[in-house]
Amino acid sequence: MDKLKKVLSGQDGQDDDVNILQAANEASRLGWGTRVKGFIACFAIGVVCSVLGVCMLWLPRIGLVLFVVFYTLGNFASLTSTMFLMGPVKQLKKMCEKTRALASAIMLTCFALTLCAAFWWKNNGLALLFCILQFLAFAWYGLSYIPFARDAVIKMFSVCLK
């Protein structure tokens, strides 16, 4: 358990030079119990928002817009929940790693484009398309944390499409 705490909190034996971002991360350290509580609360808010969004989908006229808003907020809350476990700086660094950079960029872009399509462009079909892309990018991003999961998914689809 202590090893897991060290890895998730960024204390896994790395002796990097202290810079401004690391100093800010050090100054905002939370206790492990507080981090877990923050993660659970933020993740639960994300799940509730996503489920609420799906329930709102069936309302006439405004349902799709409410779905888009709640679903996007739910995904964003779920994504930020992991910042409690790793810390914001380490989370952002991991999001920008070579294996996750494209999925992170697509996911964050789809967050913004989904809301733009719903409110600014008022195009429900485009908003729904961006929600689907948001889901796929979020899933691909999440799979990057599980060893060999992406390879397994690619292999499964290649077998299914033969």
Side-chain angles (χ1 to χ4, degrees):
M1 187 67 170
D2 289 328
K3 178 69 175 166
L4 178 63
K5 283 183 189 179
K6 286 180 182 180
V7 169
L8 291 175
S9 65
Q11 302 171 353
D12 55 348
Q14 296 176 349
D15 294 321
D16 297 335
D17 294 332
V18 177
N19 59 28
I20 295 172
L21 293 176
Q22 288 174 334
N25 194 30
E26 292 288 329
S28 64
R29 291 244 166 159
L30 299 173
W32 182 249
T34 306
R35 286 179 181 258
V36 171
K37 289 174 188 172
F39 166 76
I40 291 171
C42 203
F43 189 77
I45 289 169
V47 170
V48 167
C49 283
S50 295
V51 170
L52 190 58
V54 171
C55 293
M56 297 290 179
L57 184 59
W58 309 113
L59 293 177
R61 293 189 309 166
I62 195 165
L64 188 61
V65 173
L66 289 174
F67 163 73
V68 165
V69 170
F70 280 111
Y71 186 76
T72 301
L73 289 175
N75 279 344
F76 187 74
S78 296
L79 177 66
T80 57
S81 69
T82 57
M83 288 187 183
F84 282 99
L85 294 178
M86 292 185 219
V89 174
K90 189 170 183 182
Q91 172 74 16
L92 292 173
K93 284 181 181 178
K94 285 193 171 281
M95 287 177 73
C96 294
E97 286 178 356
K98 183 181 175 185
T99 57
R100 298 181 186 98
L102 182 61
S104 298
I106 292 172
M107 179 177 50
L108 294 174
T109 302
C110 285
F111 285 171
L113 290 175
T114 302
L115 296 174
C116 286
F119 293 116
W120 191 16
W121 304 323
K122 299 198 187 301
N123 187 333
N124 292 341
L126 200 55
L128 195 56
L129 174 67
F130 287 134
C131 272
I132 293 167
L133 292 174
Q134 196 183 120
F135 171 79
L136 293 173
F138 194 71
W140 194 249
Y141 171 80
L143 287 174
S144 71
Y145 285 96
I146 304 169
F148 307 110
R150 285 181 169 181
D151 294 334
V153 169
I154 291 171
K155 193 172 208 173
M156 181 186 71
F157 276 107
S158 67
V159 168
C160 291
L161 296 175
K162 282 186 180 180

